[in-house]
């Protein structure tokens, strides 16, 4: 057996549950807003908790659901087609589900669990979530399992971040000086010529000194004139036959040219290596970025198939947008509408939404909530502190003070 149409609460009876003594609440309409008001500590929250216990099962049942001083409690929740009875005794919970038309229910627990996916969706609590937490809540409502997507995307983002840091670590290519023409000879060849010229210069200087010495001897020692003349002649002959050394300054200029060229060439080779490294990292970055885009596209396709509950509602991993505007910047009416639409998707068959902090809503927001509830055919149980003039019921000391 399956539940074919959506249900809301036709009546709610509870005895000795949490702060409640005994209540019997019968909303005037199947949809719209049911206002439960009362002072703090009187039991109004317990009314909403009874719906949670009845529809949410054991996971929504508190550790001590029975009113203090009592031994057992009960909840009877009536919908359009079903009557659910919950009996609480000690730490045990007993459930009985019957169809109002007398149809036989083969597996009541399984049927009810499939019917009530999650009755504790609170639009007010949803509105106070951080943007990314809103996304997670909506994904849960849509039944999207994005665990693998999130894990893979984080891996790709971390890999891409590493490539970006590596590229930033590569030094910026140094500016090359003005182009220098490649020298005709190598440094070693030029240095050899310099050394040869210096050697010749030393030898020439030595011979010049020798000539001078010989001339002095001729002047001083006539007796040694012949020998001195012979020495002079020999020295002069050797001097005239010797190669005249080139100016060392020209070799220094050639060395400076070689140094400049070698420095420029080394810088050019270094820049070329940087470019190769950068190109390699850029290729890896581009490849990883493509993987992220492909992953995002696949995720977007999944979202498109998910059929978001409200026209104009979109989201990505950073947050939810409505008509292109971040949800946090939308007016409160729009935020309530989005939250209620998500609640409907989350519970398409049991259209009951619990709003536990209704006192935070102003008059306009209350009116908007009423309109949205009718638009989406949802029953909203609104908890309000104080004795609200528009209350469906006022709870005092665990009982209904005014109906």
């Amino acid at each position: 057996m399956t539940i074919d149409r959506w249900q809301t609460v036709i009546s709610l009876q509870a005895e000795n549950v949490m702060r409640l003594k005994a209540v019997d609440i019968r909303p005037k309409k199947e949809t719209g807003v049911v206002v439960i008001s009362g002072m703090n500590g009187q039991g109004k929250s317990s009314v909403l908790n009874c719906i949670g216990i009845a529809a949410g099962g054991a996971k929504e049942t508190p550790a001590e659901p029975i009113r203090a001083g009592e031994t057992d409690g009960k909840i009877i929740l009536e919908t359009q087609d079903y009557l659910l009875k919950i009996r609480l005794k000690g730490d045990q919970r007993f459930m009985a589900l019957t169809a109002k038309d007398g149809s036989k229910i083969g597996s009541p627990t399984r049927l009810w669990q499939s019917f009530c996916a999650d009755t504790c969706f609170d639009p007010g609590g949803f509105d106070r979530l951080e943007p990314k937490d809103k996304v997670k809540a909506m994904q849960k409502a849509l039944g999207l399992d994005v665990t693998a997507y999130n894990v893979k995307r984080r891996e790709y983002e971390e890999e891409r971040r590493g490539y970006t840091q590596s590229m930033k670590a590569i030094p910026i290519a140094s500016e090359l000086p003005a182009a220098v023409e490649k020298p005709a000879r190598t440094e070693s060849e030029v240095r050899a010529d310099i050394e040869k010229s210096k050697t010749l210069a030393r030898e020439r200087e030595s011979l010049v000194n020798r000539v001078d010495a010989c001339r002095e001897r001729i002047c001083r020692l006539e007796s040694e004139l012949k020998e001195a003349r012979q020495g002079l002649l020999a020295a002069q002959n050797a001097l005239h036959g010797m190669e005249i050394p080139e100016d060392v300054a020209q070799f220094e200029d050639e060395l400076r040219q070689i140094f400049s060229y070698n420095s420029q060439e080394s810088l050019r080779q270094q820049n070329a290596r940087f470019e190769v490294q950068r190109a390699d990292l850029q290729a890896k970055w581009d490849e990883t970025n493509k993987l992220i885009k492909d992953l995002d596209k696949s995720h977007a396709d999944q979202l498109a198939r998910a059929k978001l509950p409200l026209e104009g509602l979109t989201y990505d991993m950073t947050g939810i947008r409505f008509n292109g505007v971040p949800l946090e910047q939308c007016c409160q009416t729009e935020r309530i509408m989005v939250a209620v639409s998500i609640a409907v998707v989350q519970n398409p068959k049991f259209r009951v939404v619990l709003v536990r902090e209704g006192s935070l809503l102003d008059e306009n927001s209350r009116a908007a909530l009423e309109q949205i509830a009718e638009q989406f055919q949802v029953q909203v149980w609104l908890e309000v502190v104080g004795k609200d003039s528009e209350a469906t019921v006022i709870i005092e000391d665990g009982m209904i003070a005014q109906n």
Side-chain angles (χ1 to χ4, degrees), residues 60-346:
E60 297 297 337
T61 303
E64 298 181 7
I66 300 174
R67 180 179 172 86
E70 303 294 337
T71 58
D72 56 3
K74 72 175 183 179
I75 300 171
I76 301 176
L77 187 146
E78 179 186 4
T79 70
Q80 283 80 354
D81 299 324
Y82 296 91
L83 190 64
L84 175 70
K85 296 181 179 180
I86 303 292
R87 187 163 65 91
L88 304 169
K89 190 171 183 62
D91 58 356
Q92 294 181 304
R93 180 181 187 275
F94 304 95
M95 185 192 89
L97 179 68
T98 58
K100 292 165 70 172
D101 63 1
S103 302
K104 184 179 180 180
I105 302 176
S107 179
T109 301
R110 183 180 302 172
L111 175 66
W112 192 253
Q113 287 177 345
S114 67
F115 169 59
C116 301
D118 187 350
T119 59
C120 292
F121 189 91
D122 180 357
F126 175 82
D127 190 46
R128 290 188 296 276
L129 293 175
E130 293 296 322
K132 291 185 177 180
D133 293 329
K134 284 191 178 78
V135 171
K136 293 178 182 178
M138 189 169 75
Q139 288 172 338
K140 178 183 177 183
L142 294 173
L144 296 177
D145 184 3
V146 295
T147 304
Y149 166 78
N150 290 336
V151 170
K152 203 65 181 176
R153 199 178 198 286
R154 280 195 294 270
E155 289 178 0
Y156 286 152
E157 286 178 343
E158 187 63 29
E159 186 176 348
R160 184 174 63 179
R161 191 178 299 111
Y163 293 143
T164 300
Q165 292 173 348
S166 297
M167 284 191 286
K168 288 181 179 179
I170 296 176
I172 299 175
S174 303
E175 184 179 354
L176 295 174
V180 179
E181 184 180 354
K182 184 177 181 179
R185 296 192 297 165
T186 65
E187 179 184 351
S188 58
E189 291 174 335
V190 175
R191 288 193 178 279
D193 284 347
I194 290 175
E195 189 60 35
K196 178 180 177 182
S197 295
K198 287 182 178 180
T199 301
L200 290 174
R202 287 194 296 271
E203 292 177 356
R204 180 178 176 82
E205 183 180 4
S206 176
L207 289 173
V208 169
N209 292 337
R210 183 178 173 187
V211 169
D212 292 341
C214 289
R215 284 175 176 168
E216 288 179 5
R217 289 183 66 190
I218 290 172
C219 293
R220 291 195 310 267
L221 303 169
E222 281 293 334
S223 61
E224 298 177 357
L225 180 58
K226 183 178 180 179
E227 183 180 352
R229 286 183 181 279
Q230 290 177 346
L232 175 61
L233 182 59
Q236 288 176 333
N237 289 338
L239 183 61
H240 289 308
M242 181 178 290
E243 178 183 355
I244 299 176
E246 298 183 37
D247 186 4
V248 173
Q250 68 173 338
F251 298 125
E252 296 292 346
D253 291 340
E254 192 173 2
L255 275 180
R256 281 191 291 273
Q257 181 187 13
I258 291 172
F259 290 153
S260 297
Y261 176 82
N262 289 344
S263 175
Q264 178 176 289
E265 187 63 23
S266 175
L267 195 57
R268 184 182 293 109
Q269 292 175 2
Q270 174 182 278
N271 288 345
R273 288 194 301 271
F274 289 163
E275 286 303 317
V276 170
Q277 293 175 12
R278 188 175 289 104
D280 180 60
L281 287 170
Q282 185 65 53
K284 292 178 179 178
W285 190 95
D286 292 341
E287 181 181 356
T288 305
N289 195 55
K290 183 179 181 300
L291 290 174
I292 292 176
K293 288 183 178 179
D294 292 343
L295 194 65
D296 288 345
K297 183 180 183 301
S298 174
H299 184 58
D301 293 341
Q302 183 186 22
L303 296 183
R305 292 192 298 270
K307 296 181 180 179
L308 296 177
L310 199 61
E311 185 177 354
L313 187 64
T314 59
Y315 82 95
D316 55 27
M317 299 314 295
T318 61
I320 298 174
R321 290 177 176 267
F322 184 58
N323 293 329
V325 179
L327 188 58
E328 291 70 29
Q329 297 178 20
C330 293
C331 68
Q332 190 171 32
T333 301
E334 290 175 324
R335 297 200 305 272
I336 292 172
M337 183 164 62
V338 169
V340 171
S341 71
I342 294 172
V344 173
V345 171
Q346 188 160 286

